[in-house]
Amino acid sequence: MAALYADTTDFKDPSLGIAIVKQSRAQTIQKYTELNKVFTDIKDSVVAMYPINNTAVVVEFISKGTAPNGSKFELPICSILTVNDKGLIEKDYTYYDNSANK
């Protein structure tokens, strides 16, 4: 998955706060590696993809898994992905309700 991202990518993600955060590909790998350690059975199912133009797409998906406390969850997520001229993701603006995770 990390190969889909540019060397440095702008992220908006509730888990990172409200500001845009620049992350290297290595940081992206670390983020998703840690996520998979916490949610060992996490699975994402794409609901729909909405192309915006030649450089962006909105991806709607459902993330399902088991929380560390053993409870099952389903989380609707929407990501706006902007792709550079090399076809790599340079912006990943992801939105979901993070209130249940606090």
Side-chain angles (χ1 to χ4, degrees):
M1 185 174 120
L4 298 174
Y5 286 87
D7 291 335
T8 302
T9 302
D10 290 345
F11 283 90
K12 273 190 186 178
D13 186 312
S15 70
L16 300 172
I18 60 171
I20 294 172
V21 176
K22 288 190 178 295
Q23 289 196 318
S24 68
R25 185 176 289 134
Q27 288 172 306
T28 301
I29 291 169
Q30 180 181 359
K31 174 186 172 182
Y32 286 107
T33 298
E34 290 172 6
L35 179 71
N36 283 316
K37 285 179 184 176
V38 174
F39 303 104
T40 58
D41 65 343
I42 196 165
K43 300 285 185 219
D44 294 330
S45 301
V46 174
V47 174
M49 295 192 304
Y50 310 95
I52 297 172
N53 51 38
N54 290 335
T55 61
V57 63
V58 175
V59 181
E60 177 185 2
F61 60 100
I62 304 290
S63 188
K64 296 180 183 179
T66 306
N69 67 4
S71 64
K72 299 286 185 184
F73 69 87
E74 288 188 24
L75 182 64
I77 302 173
C78 188
S79 294
I80 304 166
L81 306 174
T82 303
V83 180
N84 65 20
D85 58 355
K86 295 178 183 173
L88 299 173
I89 300 167
E90 64 182 6
K91 293 180 183 177
D92 179 334
Y93 293 0
T94 296
Y95 299 91
Y96 56 90
D97 181 0
N98 198 33
S99 63
N101 297 325
K102 293 184 179 182

PDB file of all heavy atoms in Angstrom, residues 10-23 31 92-98 102:
ATOM      1  N   ASP A  10       0.672  14.825   2.140  1.00  0.00           N
ATOM      2  CA  ASP A  10      -0.110  15.628   3.077  1.00  0.00           C
ATOM      3  C   ASP A  10      -1.293  14.787   3.551  1.00  0.00           C
ATOM      4  O   ASP A  10      -2.057  14.278   2.729  1.00  0.00           O
ATOM      5  CB  ASP A  10      -0.667  16.888   2.402  1.00  0.00           C
ATOM      6  CG  ASP A  10       0.397  17.910   2.068  1.00  0.00           C
ATOM      7  OD1 ASP A  10       1.522  17.797   2.596  1.00  0.00           O
ATOM      8  OD2 ASP A  10       0.102  18.825   1.283  1.00  0.00           O
ATOM      9  N   PHE A  11      -1.427  14.653   4.865  1.00  0.00           N
ATOM     10  CA  PHE A  11      -2.533  13.899   5.445  1.00  0.00           C
ATOM     11  C   PHE A  11      -3.418  14.811   6.277  1.00  0.00           C
ATOM     12  O   PHE A  11      -2.926  15.667   7.013  1.00  0.00           O
ATOM     13  CB  PHE A  11      -2.017  12.788   6.379  1.00  0.00           C
ATOM     14  CG  PHE A  11      -1.478  11.597   5.666  1.00  0.00           C
ATOM     15  CD1 PHE A  11      -0.137  11.535   5.315  1.00  0.00           C
ATOM     16  CD2 PHE A  11      -2.297  10.529   5.359  1.00  0.00           C
ATOM     17  CE1 PHE A  11       0.371  10.425   4.662  1.00  0.00           C
ATOM     18  CE2 PHE A  11      -1.796   9.414   4.709  1.00  0.00           C
ATOM     19  CZ  PHE A  11      -0.453   9.360   4.362  1.00  0.00           C
ATOM     20  N   LYS A  12      -4.728  14.620   6.152  1.00  0.00           N
ATOM     21  CA  LYS A  12      -5.722  15.109   7.107  1.00  0.00           C
ATOM     22  C   LYS A  12      -6.395  13.853   7.601  1.00  0.00           C
ATOM     23  O   LYS A  12      -6.919  13.068   6.817  1.00  0.00           O
ATOM     24  CB  LYS A  12      -6.769  16.007   6.430  1.00  0.00           C
ATOM     25  CG  LYS A  12      -6.422  17.439   6.328  1.00  0.00           C
ATOM     26  CD  LYS A  12      -7.658  18.209   5.865  1.00  0.00           C
ATOM     27  CE  LYS A  12      -7.344  19.645   5.593  1.00  0.00           C
ATOM     28  NZ  LYS A  12      -8.531  20.354   5.094  1.00  0.00           N
ATOM     29  N   ASP A  13      -6.350  13.641   8.913  1.00  0.00           N
ATOM     30  CA  ASP A  13      -6.885  12.411   9.471  1.00  0.00           C
ATOM     31  C   ASP A  13      -7.211  12.690  10.931  1.00  0.00           C
ATOM     32  O   ASP A  13      -6.363  13.221  11.650  1.00  0.00           O
ATOM     33  CB  ASP A  13      -5.829  11.306   9.359  1.00  0.00           C
ATOM     34  CG  ASP A  13      -6.344   9.946   9.782  1.00  0.00           C
ATOM     35  OD1 ASP A  13      -6.974   9.840  10.856  1.00  0.00           O
ATOM     36  OD2 ASP A  13      -6.097   8.976   9.055  1.00  0.00           O
ATOM     37  N   PRO A  14      -8.416  12.354  11.375  1.00  0.00           N
ATOM     38  CA  PRO A  14      -8.765  12.602  12.771  1.00  0.00           C
ATOM     39  C   PRO A  14      -7.763  12.028  13.770  1.00  0.00           C
ATOM     40  O   PRO A  14      -7.572  12.578  14.845  1.00  0.00           O
ATOM     41  CB  PRO A  14     -10.135  11.942  12.929  1.00  0.00           C
ATOM     42  CG  PRO A  14     -10.722  11.974  11.560  1.00  0.00           C
ATOM     43  CD  PRO A  14      -9.549  11.782  10.626  1.00  0.00           C
ATOM     44  N   SER A  15      -7.077  10.964  13.404  1.00  0.00           N
ATOM     45  CA  SER A  15      -6.104  10.374  14.326  1.00  0.00           C
ATOM     46  C   SER A  15      -4.855  11.240  14.464  1.00  0.00           C
ATOM     47  O   SER A  15      -4.080  11.069  15.408  1.00  0.00           O
ATOM     48  CB  SER A  15      -5.707   8.968  13.869  1.00  0.00           C
ATOM     49  OG  SER A  15      -4.921   9.022  12.684  1.00  0.00           O
ATOM     50  N   LEU A  16      -4.664  12.176  13.539  1.00  0.00           N
ATOM     51  CA  LEU A  16      -3.487  13.054  13.556  1.00  0.00           C
ATOM     52  C   LEU A  16      -3.812  14.469  14.021  1.00  0.00           C
ATOM     53  O   LEU A  16      -2.933  15.320  14.056  1.00  0.00           O
ATOM     54  CB  LEU A  16      -2.870  13.112  12.154  1.00  0.00           C
ATOM     55  CG  LEU A  16      -2.402  11.785  11.568  1.00  0.00           C
ATOM     56  CD1 LEU A  16      -2.001  11.967  10.105  1.00  0.00           C
ATOM     57  CD2 LEU A  16      -1.264  11.205  12.383  1.00  0.00           C
ATOM     58  N   GLY A  17      -5.077  14.738  14.341  1.00  0.00           N
ATOM     59  CA  GLY A  17      -5.486  16.087  14.722  1.00  0.00           C
ATOM     60  C   GLY A  17      -6.260  16.743  13.588  1.00  0.00           C
ATOM     61  O   GLY A  17      -6.677  16.082  12.648  1.00  0.00           O
ATOM     62  N   ILE A  18      -6.410  18.071  13.656  1.00  0.00           N
ATOM     63  CA  ILE A  18      -7.224  18.754  12.643  1.00  0.00           C
ATOM     64  C   ILE A  18      -6.389  19.432  11.558  1.00  0.00           C
ATOM     65  O   ILE A  18      -6.921  19.840  10.532  1.00  0.00           O
ATOM     66  CB  ILE A  18      -8.175  19.788  13.287  1.00  0.00           C
ATOM     67  CG1 ILE A  18      -7.395  20.855  14.048  1.00  0.00           C
ATOM     68  CG2 ILE A  18      -9.181  19.098  14.191  1.00  0.00           C
ATOM     69  CD1 ILE A  18      -8.239  22.017  14.522  1.00  0.00           C
ATOM     70  N   ALA A  19      -5.096  19.557  11.766  1.00  0.00           N
ATOM     71  CA  ALA A  19      -4.233  20.222  10.788  1.00  0.00           C
ATOM     72  C   ALA A  19      -3.717  19.225   9.754  1.00  0.00           C
ATOM     73  O   ALA A  19      -3.753  18.005   9.961  1.00  0.00           O
ATOM     74  CB  ALA A  19      -3.053  20.871  11.504  1.00  0.00           C
ATOM     75  N   ILE A  20      -3.233  19.751   8.639  1.00  0.00           N
ATOM     76  CA  ILE A  20      -2.561  18.919   7.643  1.00  0.00           C
ATOM     77  C   ILE A  20      -1.208  18.510   8.211  1.00  0.00           C
ATOM     78  O   ILE A  20      -0.468  19.329   8.745  1.00  0.00           O
ATOM     79  CB  ILE A  20      -2.389  19.683   6.320  1.00  0.00           C
ATOM     80  CG1 ILE A  20      -3.756  19.963   5.698  1.00  0.00           C
ATOM     81  CG2 ILE A  20      -1.499  18.895   5.349  1.00  0.00           C
ATOM     82  CD1 ILE A  20      -3.710  20.866   4.487  1.00  0.00           C
ATOM     83  N   VAL A  21      -0.894  17.229   8.100  1.00  0.00           N
ATOM     84  CA  VAL A  21       0.369  16.692   8.594  1.00  0.00           C
ATOM     85  C   VAL A  21       1.112  16.076   7.417  1.00  0.00           C
ATOM     86  O   VAL A  21       0.553  15.242   6.703  1.00  0.00           O
ATOM     87  CB  VAL A  21       0.121  15.619   9.683  1.00  0.00           C
ATOM     88  CG1 VAL A  21       1.421  14.986  10.122  1.00  0.00           C
ATOM     89  CG2 VAL A  21      -0.629  16.215  10.855  1.00  0.00           C
ATOM     90  N   LYS A  22       2.348  16.498   7.207  1.00  0.00           N
ATOM     91  CA  LYS A  22       3.184  15.895   6.167  1.00  0.00           C
ATOM     92  C   LYS A  22       3.844  14.652   6.749  1.00  0.00           C
ATOM     93  O   LYS A  22       4.371  14.690   7.851  1.00  0.00           O
ATOM     94  CB  LYS A  22       4.251  16.870   5.694  1.00  0.00           C
ATOM     95  CG  LYS A  22       3.707  18.005   4.864  1.00  0.00           C
ATOM     96  CD  LYS A  22       4.849  18.778   4.226  1.00  0.00           C
ATOM     97  CE  LYS A  22       4.328  19.891   3.352  1.00  0.00           C
ATOM     98  NZ  LYS A  22       3.588  19.442   2.196  1.00  0.00           N
ATOM     99  N   GLN A  23       3.773  13.554   5.987  1.00  0.00           N
ATOM    100  CA  GLN A  23       4.411  12.324   6.424  1.00  0.00           C
ATOM    101  C   GLN A  23       5.206  11.715   5.283  1.00  0.00           C
ATOM    102  O   GLN A  23       4.770  11.739   4.122  1.00  0.00           O
ATOM    103  CB  GLN A  23       3.380  11.310   6.915  1.00  0.00           C
ATOM    104  CG  GLN A  23       2.742  11.686   8.233  1.00  0.00           C
ATOM    105  CD  GLN A  23       2.036  10.512   8.880  1.00  0.00           C
ATOM    106  OE1 GLN A  23       1.361   9.744   8.216  1.00  0.00           O
ATOM    107  NE2 GLN A  23       2.192  10.390  10.178  1.00  0.00           N
ATOM    108  N   LYS A  31       2.648   4.117  10.479  1.00  0.00           N
ATOM    109  CA  LYS A  31       1.271   4.385  10.932  1.00  0.00           C
ATOM    110  C   LYS A  31       0.372   3.164  10.705  1.00  0.00           C
ATOM    111  O   LYS A  31      -0.349   2.729  11.605  1.00  0.00           O
ATOM    112  CB  LYS A  31       0.706   5.597  10.194  1.00  0.00           C
ATOM    113  CG  LYS A  31      -0.761   5.863  10.477  1.00  0.00           C
ATOM    114  CD  LYS A  31      -1.288   6.986   9.615  1.00  0.00           C
ATOM    115  CE  LYS A  31      -2.783   7.103   9.759  1.00  0.00           C
ATOM    116  NZ  LYS A  31      -3.361   8.128   8.928  1.00  0.00           N
ATOM    117  N   ASP A  92      -3.913  12.880   1.134  1.00  0.00           N
ATOM    118  CA  ASP A  92      -4.877  11.896   1.624  1.00  0.00           C
ATOM    119  C   ASP A  92      -5.657  12.578   2.736  1.00  0.00           C
ATOM    120  O   ASP A  92      -5.179  12.701   3.851  1.00  0.00           O
ATOM    121  CB  ASP A  92      -4.135  10.670   2.148  1.00  0.00           C
ATOM    122  CG  ASP A  92      -5.052   9.595   2.709  1.00  0.00           C
ATOM    123  OD1 ASP A  92      -6.173   9.922   3.164  1.00  0.00           O
ATOM    124  OD2 ASP A  92      -4.639   8.414   2.717  1.00  0.00           O
ATOM    125  N   TYR A  93      -6.849  13.060   2.387  1.00  0.00           N
ATOM    126  CA  TYR A  93      -7.705  13.742   3.352  1.00  0.00           C
ATOM    127  C   TYR A  93      -8.824  12.773   3.709  1.00  0.00           C
ATOM    128  O   TYR A  93      -9.725  12.526   2.908  1.00  0.00           O
ATOM    129  CB  TYR A  93      -8.267  15.036   2.775  1.00  0.00           C
ATOM    130  CG  TYR A  93      -7.233  16.117   2.509  1.00  0.00           C
ATOM    131  CD1 TYR A  93      -5.886  15.933   2.776  1.00  0.00           C
ATOM    132  CD2 TYR A  93      -7.620  17.326   1.986  1.00  0.00           C
ATOM    133  CE1 TYR A  93      -4.957  16.934   2.538  1.00  0.00           C
ATOM    134  CE2 TYR A  93      -6.694  18.341   1.743  1.00  0.00           C
ATOM    135  CZ  TYR A  93      -5.357  18.129   2.030  1.00  0.00           C
ATOM    136  OH  TYR A  93      -4.435  19.122   1.797  1.00  0.00           O
ATOM    137  N   THR A  94      -8.735  12.199   4.904  1.00  0.00           N
ATOM    138  CA  THR A  94      -9.640  11.154   5.336  1.00  0.00           C
ATOM    139  C   THR A  94     -10.541  11.661   6.449  1.00  0.00           C
ATOM    140  O   THR A  94     -10.071  12.329   7.367  1.00  0.00           O
ATOM    141  CB  THR A  94      -8.841   9.919   5.793  1.00  0.00           C
ATOM    142  OG1 THR A  94      -8.133   9.397   4.657  1.00  0.00           O
ATOM    143  CG2 THR A  94      -9.747   8.843   6.374  1.00  0.00           C
ATOM    144  N   TYR A  95     -11.820  11.315   6.353  1.00  0.00           N
ATOM    145  CA  TYR A  95     -12.819  11.790   7.311  1.00  0.00           C
ATOM    146  C   TYR A  95     -13.615  10.623   7.867  1.00  0.00           C
ATOM    147  O   TYR A  95     -14.057   9.749   7.129  1.00  0.00           O
ATOM    148  CB  TYR A  95     -13.769  12.783   6.632  1.00  0.00           C
ATOM    149  CG  TYR A  95     -13.040  13.995   6.115  1.00  0.00           C
ATOM    150  CD1 TYR A  95     -12.544  14.026   4.811  1.00  0.00           C
ATOM    151  CD2 TYR A  95     -12.813  15.090   6.936  1.00  0.00           C
ATOM    152  CE1 TYR A  95     -11.849  15.132   4.343  1.00  0.00           C
ATOM    153  CE2 TYR A  95     -12.127  16.204   6.469  1.00  0.00           C
ATOM    154  CZ  TYR A  95     -11.639  16.210   5.174  1.00  0.00           C
ATOM    155  OH  TYR A  95     -10.944  17.306   4.714  1.00  0.00           O
ATOM    156  N   TYR A  96     -13.749  10.631   9.189  1.00  0.00           N
ATOM    157  CA  TYR A  96     -14.602   9.675   9.894  1.00  0.00           C
ATOM    158  C   TYR A  96     -14.871  10.239  11.273  1.00  0.00           C
ATOM    159  O   TYR A  96     -14.195  11.163  11.733  1.00  0.00           O
ATOM    160  CB  TYR A  96     -13.955   8.286   9.977  1.00  0.00           C
ATOM    161  CG  TYR A  96     -12.593   8.263  10.603  1.00  0.00           C
ATOM    162  CD1 TYR A  96     -12.421   8.083  11.973  1.00  0.00           C
ATOM    163  CD2 TYR A  96     -11.443   8.407   9.822  1.00  0.00           C
ATOM    164  CE1 TYR A  96     -11.161   8.061  12.546  1.00  0.00           C
ATOM    165  CE2 TYR A  96     -10.179   8.386  10.393  1.00  0.00           C
ATOM    166  CZ  TYR A  96     -10.038   8.215  11.753  1.00  0.00           C
ATOM    167  OH  TYR A  96      -8.794   8.194  12.306  1.00  0.00           O
ATOM    168  N   ASP A  97     -15.848   9.672  11.945  1.00  0.00           N
ATOM    169  CA  ASP A  97     -16.197  10.109  13.293  1.00  0.00           C
ATOM    170  C   ASP A  97     -15.257   9.443  14.283  1.00  0.00           C
ATOM    171  O   ASP A  97     -15.344   8.248  14.525  1.00  0.00           O
ATOM    172  CB  ASP A  97     -17.656   9.748  13.599  1.00  0.00           C
ATOM    173  CG  ASP A  97     -18.112  10.191  14.981  1.00  0.00           C
ATOM    174  OD1 ASP A  97     -17.302  10.789  15.728  1.00  0.00           O
ATOM    175  OD2 ASP A  97     -19.276   9.936  15.318  1.00  0.00           O
ATOM    176  N   ASN A  98     -14.359  10.229  14.837  1.00  0.00           N
ATOM    177  CA  ASN A  98     -13.359   9.692  15.758  1.00  0.00           C
ATOM    178  C   ASN A  98     -13.831   9.728  17.204  1.00  0.00           C
ATOM    179  O   ASN A  98     -13.115   9.326  18.101  1.00  0.00           O
ATOM    180  CB  ASN A  98     -12.057  10.488  15.609  1.00  0.00           C
ATOM    181  CG  ASN A  98     -10.863   9.757  16.193  1.00  0.00           C
ATOM    182  OD1 ASN A  98     -10.804   8.545  16.147  1.00  0.00           O
ATOM    183  ND2 ASN A  98      -9.937  10.495  16.744  1.00  0.00           N
ATOM    184  N   LYS A 102     -12.383   7.822  21.586  1.00  0.00           N
ATOM    185  CA  LYS A 102     -11.801   8.616  22.691  1.00  0.00           C
ATOM    186  C   LYS A 102     -12.163   8.040  24.020  1.00  0.00           C
ATOM    187  O   LYS A 102     -13.079   7.314  24.187  1.00  0.00           O
ATOM    188  CB  LYS A 102     -12.288  10.050  22.588  1.00  0.00           C
ATOM    189  CG  LYS A 102     -11.726  10.716  21.352  1.00  0.00           C
ATOM    190  CD  LYS A 102     -12.123  12.169  21.303  1.00  0.00           C
ATOM    191  CE  LYS A 102     -11.508  12.787  20.063  1.00  0.00           C
ATOM    192  NZ  LYS A 102     -11.752  14.143  19.921  1.00  0.00           N
TER     193      LYS A 102
END
